[in-house]
Amino acid sequence: MQAKGTVFKYGDNVDTDVIIPARYLAIADKKELAEHCMEDIDKDFVKNVKPGDIMVANKNFGCGSSREHAPMVIKESGISCVIAETFARIFYRNAINIGLPIIECVEAAREIEAGDVVEVDFDSGIIYDRTKGTQYQGQAFPEFMQKIIKAEGLINYINER
Amino acid sequence: MGMTMTQKILAQAAGLEKVEAGQLIEANLDLVLGNDITTPVAIREMDKMTVKTVFDKDKIALVMDHFIPNKDIKSAENCKCVREFACKHDVTNYFDVGKMGIEHALLPEQGLTVAGDVIIGADSHTCTYGALGAFSTGVGSTDMAAGMATGKAWFKVPSAIKFNIVGKPSKWVSGKDVILHIIGMIGVDGALYKSMEFVGEGIQYLTMDDRFTIANMAIEAGGKNGIFPVDDLAIQYMKEHSKKEYKIFEADEDAVYDEEYTIDLSTLKSTVAFPHLPENTKTVDEITEDVVIDQVVIGSCTNGRMDDLRAAAEILKGRQCKKGLRVIIIPGTQNIYLQALEEGLIKTFIEAGAVVSTPTCGPCLGGYMGILAAGERCVSTTNRNFVGRMGHVDSEVYLASPAVAAASAITGKISAPAELGL
């Protein structure tokens, strides 16, 4: 499983309120909801994002509310992988449970810049920055989580059991 | 190597003699919680499952609290979806308009959360019930769906940070000041993936409401849960509110902690978190310039309980809110509202020029009932001050205790009760 795309870069503590503001949480339709992804910190994100693109941020990505709408709108907007130094724990769980690939890697998160073309190999956990010609070893998932990811989410995993 | 309090609860719920930090376990759940924002998403996930029934209709709590009474058609559709689900599955603990409250104020009051329980909730502040010695943690809607269907959830056993609480706090220092002080000290990811275990002789000076506030904001330090030992006060609370059996777990003497801190309550001062992170804390005497405000909110799952309303009323009684300031007070549950009415607090608030709302999460998350315009500032007893949290992206939220919020309501700028001679 691989991802390849252009990077959108953010800083520390990107919270779920900026990923998807609560004023839109009553919207049930995923596509309509995703039109507001990141708008409070990057109003051009939705306009510029293309399917396959990659989001990179620093520490504690996804902190705050437990809203699953946050990883949902990131996935819906076309992002193929989120790379961060660390993720807030509920976001981490939610991303795995809904099948949004995420990967923790301190060096990659610090060095990769907006606009770089980045490729991620999920099996090996290796992150390649094709623009800079660098590569990084990301944190591999424990086997149990890999099973959930392979099943494309917790619900399928439970159904298959 | 011994186990922490959290590890002992998780070991029991997983049917294991022993667990250690980092271990992946599957635990039996005593309660699965959702609200009007997260439950509709969980219901749609549950529809995809081969299991079509809930695991135990008595162990699910569905609380309509974020956007109710409904603020618009979409929120009404969401509540309708949950209401129909509750009816179809005969969910015992379904709380709607008239019987509702803000979930984390409501569930302990209704006796649904007791010591030793393992609780997941599709709301990040589910960690509140650690005040009673339960393991409780926030999850997303998919986890909630899986929990409702199977009665189980997977967890990575957390390591812990120990907070040794000593000393006695001064008059206006409350649980909110304690937790803001801690978040200021360790940062918004200072307890990432970990449990925050509060121990020490100083706990005797913290009321149950103080402890609920402290455990409630463990998530604001990135914590998986916050937990208190079960003392006589906690036992008394559970006996008054619950018929459920509780089970007391204590940390082993040789339990291992990643870090240990001592918090001396006698040295703490009223503390305020400046925009846009709960870690941006200052004590009120460190605030050198006037921070003029437009709104005050007293309420939420963090500070909408009786202690909070009593503290606010003590300050507002016989005084007038600053002209031009909007002061919004939101009792956490219907019972709290009624108790406040009986004690004359509601009269005090209204006479001071505040408005009193039916219980709702409303303004805390920028839903409704107190949204800020561009450039406006609010002193709020809620839990988050992120960009755009209470309204416009250019508005600002300052997190504080009910005492500081009430004093600020009088002066029109961030103030300690001392400024009023209190």
Side-chain angles (χ1 to χ4, degrees), chain B residues 148-379:
Chain B
M148 286 198 295
T150 66
K152 295 175 193 295
W154 64 269
F155 296 107
K156 194 161 138 187
V157 176
S159 61
I161 303 178
K162 182 163 147 181
F163 295 89
N164 192 26
I165 312 282
V166 300
K168 189 178 176 181
S170 56
K171 163 83 176 161
W172 296 109
V173 169
S174 68
K176 186 60 160 289
D177 302 296
V178 178
I179 192 63
L180 286 178
H181 170 77
I182 288 172
I183 297 165
M185 189 171 67
I186 68 171
V188 292
D189 63 347
L192 193 59
Y193 309 130
K194 298 177 183 180
S195 19
M196 298 170 76
E197 305 219 344
F198 303 96
V199 298
E201 50 91 11
I203 287 175
Q204 64 182 304
Y205 303 113
L206 298 171
T207 66
M208 280 317 301
D209 287 359
D210 284 326
R211 299 178 200 183
F212 284 125
T213 303
I214 293 170
N216 172 275
M217 285 187 73
I219 181 69
E220 261 47 79
K224 182 168 195 145
N225 67 315
I227 195 162
F228 281 82
V230 183
D231 63 2
D232 289 346
L233 189 66
I235 290 171
Q236 187 194 332
Y237 182 95
M238 290 187 283
K239 282 186 175 162
E240 275 172 23
H241 291 86
S242 185
K243 292 191 179 73
K244 272 177 73 169
E245 265 183 56
Y246 59 86
K247 190 158 186 196
I248 298 172
F249 291 84
E250 286 173 3
D252 290 324
E253 278 186 12
D254 59 342
V256 176
Y257 299 92
D258 288 353
E259 290 168 87
E260 294 190 26
Y261 295 95
T262 297
I263 310 291
D264 185 351
L265 300 178
S266 70
T267 63
L268 296 191
K269 293 174 175 164
S270 293
T271 301
V272 178
F274 277 50
H276 289 285
L277 282 175
E279 71 183 22
N280 295 337
T281 55
K282 290 182 187 184
T283 58
V284 277
D285 46 12
E286 287 171 343
I287 303 170
T288 47
E289 287 177 11
D290 283 357
V291 182
V292 177
I293 54 173
D294 304 280
Q295 180 169 292
V296 169
V297 171
I298 298 173
S300 82
C301 62
T302 309
N303 281 124
R305 301 183 182 83
M306 281 315 298
D307 275 7
D308 306 316
L309 300 185
R310 287 182 189 132
E314 193 177 335
I315 291 167
L316 293 173
K317 191 162 182 70
R319 295 186 170 85
Q320 280 298 305
C321 296
K322 179 87 173 173
K323 197 174 176 212
L325 194 67
R326 292 105 59 188
V327 179
I328 301 160
I329 300 180
I330 310 175
T333 68
Q334 291 285 82
N335 283 342
I336 292 169
Y337 200 160
L338 200 54
Q339 178 73 22
L341 194 66
E342 284 170 3
E343 290 183 20
L345 311 186
I346 304 295
K347 186 167 187 277
T348 298
F349 296 146
I350 293 173
E351 284 176 351
V355 295
V356 181
S357 158
T358 180
T360 176
C361 305
C364 171
L365 76 163
Y368 71 133
M369 291 295 285
I371 304 302
L372 300 172
E376 289 192 328
R377 286 173 173 163
C378 179
V379 172

Side-chain angles (χ1 to χ4, degrees), chain B residues 3 7-8 11-12 14-19 252:
Chain B
M3 291 190 280
Q7 289 166 355
K8 278 196 167 174
Q12 156 106 7
L16 300 169
E17 283 276 307
K18 193 160 172 45
V19 296
D252 290 324

